[in-house]
Amino acid sequence: MMSQEMQLQVRDMARNFSNEIIRPMAQELDEKENFPHELYLNMGELGLFGIGVPEEDGGPGCDTVTYALVMEELSRGYSSVADQCGLIELITTLLVRHGTLKQKTQLLSDIMSAKKLVAYCITEPEAGTDVSGIRTKATKCDDGWVLNGGKIWIHNAPVADLGFVLARTDPEAGHRGMSIFIVDLHAKGVSRGTKEHKMGQRASQVGALNFDDVILPEAALLGQVGRGFHMMMS
Ligand SMILES: Cc1cc2nc3c(=O)[nH]c(=O)nc-3n(C[C@H](O)[C@H](O)[C@H](O)COP(=O)(O)OP(=O)(O)OC[C@H]3O[C@@H](n4cnc5c(N)ncnc54)[C@H](O)[C@@H]3O)c2cc1C
C-alpha cells in the first residue's frame, strides 16, 4: 500500500501534466480527431501508463487509489487521454495476471511506453452486452491456431499494433469455450474497417478489425485455453 503522501505526489504530477500539456491541446484534438501518439509517448516516459504494474514487472507499482486519482486528473484534461490510460491499464493488468514470463518480458515495457499500441477486442455485431454471442473463432492447427472472424467498436483499432482478442476455441463449451490471443495486427490476414466518427472523445480512434485465416503461434495464447471469458470479465 502506498502512503497518502506518495499518492498525492503522483496526483499532482498528473494534475500539472493535465493542466500544462493536455488541456491546451484538447479542443484541437477533439475537433480534428487526431491521434496524439507523441503525447502518449511522453506520458509513457513519465510513467503515467500501466500504473498498477508491479515494480518486479517493471512498472511503478501504484495502488488502485492512485490509479483513480490519475484517471480523474487526465479526464479533466481531456477524456480521450484518460481513455487511452484506462485501456493500457486493462491490458497490462491482463498481462501481469495471466502472461507468461516471456510474454511479460517481451511486451509490458513497450505497452507501458506506448511504443506498441494495444486494443482490447471483445465486441462483435452479435455480441455486445452479451459476450457469450461471440463468433470469432480460433481453430487448433499443428503449430498454433488459425483465427477467423471480426470485431467492431474497438478502441485503437485504426492504430493498434497488438490486439488482445477474445475468440471461441470450443463451440460447445459456452462461457468456458473462449480464450484470449495476443494478435499482431500487422500480420497477414488482419484488416481494419473504417474509423467511426463519434459525438465525443473524438481523438479516441474506434473501428473494426477483421481476421481472415490469421496464423497464430502457440505463444499467442494468453493464460489457459477456455478461461478467456473469465479473465476478461474479472
Ligand atoms: C466509443 C466506444 C468504444 C468502444 N470500445 C470497445 C473496445 O475497445 N473493445 C470492445 O470490445 N468493445 C468496445 N466497445 C463496444 C461496447 O463494449 C459495446 O457497445 C457494449 O458492450 C454494448 O454492446 P452493444 O452496443 O451491442 O449494445 P447491446 O448489447 O445491443 O445493448 C443495447 C442496450 O440494451 C441493453 N440490454 C442489453 N441486454 C439486455 C438485457 N438482457 N436486459 C436488459 N437490457 C439489456 C443495454 O444495457 C443497452 O442499453 C466500444 C463502444 C463504444 C461506443
Side-chain angles (χ1 to χ4, degrees):
M1 188 160 147
M2 293 171 70
S3 68
Q4 193 180 50
E5 195 188 342
M6 282 168 73
Q7 291 170 337
L8 293 179
Q9 265 176 17
V10 179
R11 181 204 63 183
D12 289 346
M13 189 262 281
R15 178 172 290 178
N16 290 339
F17 188 83
S18 191
N19 286 340
E20 288 164 21
I21 310 287
I22 301 173
R23 198 69 210 142
M25 59 168 68
Q27 186 174 349
E28 188 179 343
L29 282 176
D30 207 66
E31 276 170 11
K32 296 193 173 160
E33 300 189 6
N34 284 341
F35 183 75
H37 196 184
E38 283 298 321
L39 175 75
Y40 295 148
L41 291 169
N42 194 351
M43 289 173 66
E45 272 178 28
L46 287 173
L48 285 168
F49 290 142
I51 290 163
V53 174
E55 285 174 284
E56 60 266 30
D57 288 322
C62 295
D63 57 13
T64 308
V65 171
T66 310
Y67 170 60
L69 290 170
V70 169
M71 283 297 274
E72 197 171 36
E73 295 304 327
L74 298 180
S75 304
R76 211 165 39 76
Y78 178 35
S79 54
S80 274
V81 175
D83 210 13
Q84 191 69 214
C85 181
L87 172 61
I88 294 176
E89 199 67 23
L90 206 59
I91 297 272
T92 51
T93 302
L94 267 181
L95 256 179
V96 165
R97 286 194 190 162
H98 306 289
T100 60
L101 183 61
K102 195 169 175 192
Q103 285 170 330
K104 290 198 255 187
T105 312
Q106 278 180 346
L107 300 176
L108 269 175
S109 151
D110 279 353
I111 294 173
M112 286 191 292
S113 63
K115 285 182 190 147
K116 273 201 194 306
L117 298 168
V118 287
Y120 187 77
C121 311
I122 302 179
T123 304
E124 300 182 9
E126 303 297 326
T129 308
D130 183 5
V131 174
S132 67
I134 67 162
R135 293 181 180 176
T136 294
K137 64 175 182 188
T139 314
K140 195 81 192 75
C141 65
D142 282 349
D143 306 329
W145 301 82
V146 184
L147 185 68
N148 278 289
K151 301 285 176 181
I152 57 169
W153 284 104
I154 303 302
H155 182 195
N156 268 3
V159 293
D161 301 296
L162 290 175
F164 285 63
V165 178
L166 187 67
R168 199 159 271 298
T169 39
D170 182 346
E172 311 299 326
H175 288 91
R176 294 184 182 277
M178 302 179 215
S179 309
I180 301 174
F181 294 91
I182 306 172
V183 179
D184 172 4
L185 297 179
H186 304 291
K188 190 165 171 252
V190 179
S191 57
R192 299 171 205 245
T194 49
K195 183 171 105 173
E196 303 289 348
H197 298 284
K198 309 189 296 322
M199 294 173 73
Q201 297 192 342
R202 287 153 50 90
S204 300
Q205 315 287 304
V206 173
L209 290 167
N210 301 307
F211 309 109
D212 185 11
D213 281 337
V214 180
I215 307 289
L216 304 175
E218 283 290 358
L221 178 71
L222 180 68
Q224 284 177 36
V225 176
R227 297 294 296 166
F229 176 83
H230 302 88
M231 286 157 62
M232 277 193 162
M233 293 303 137
S234 63

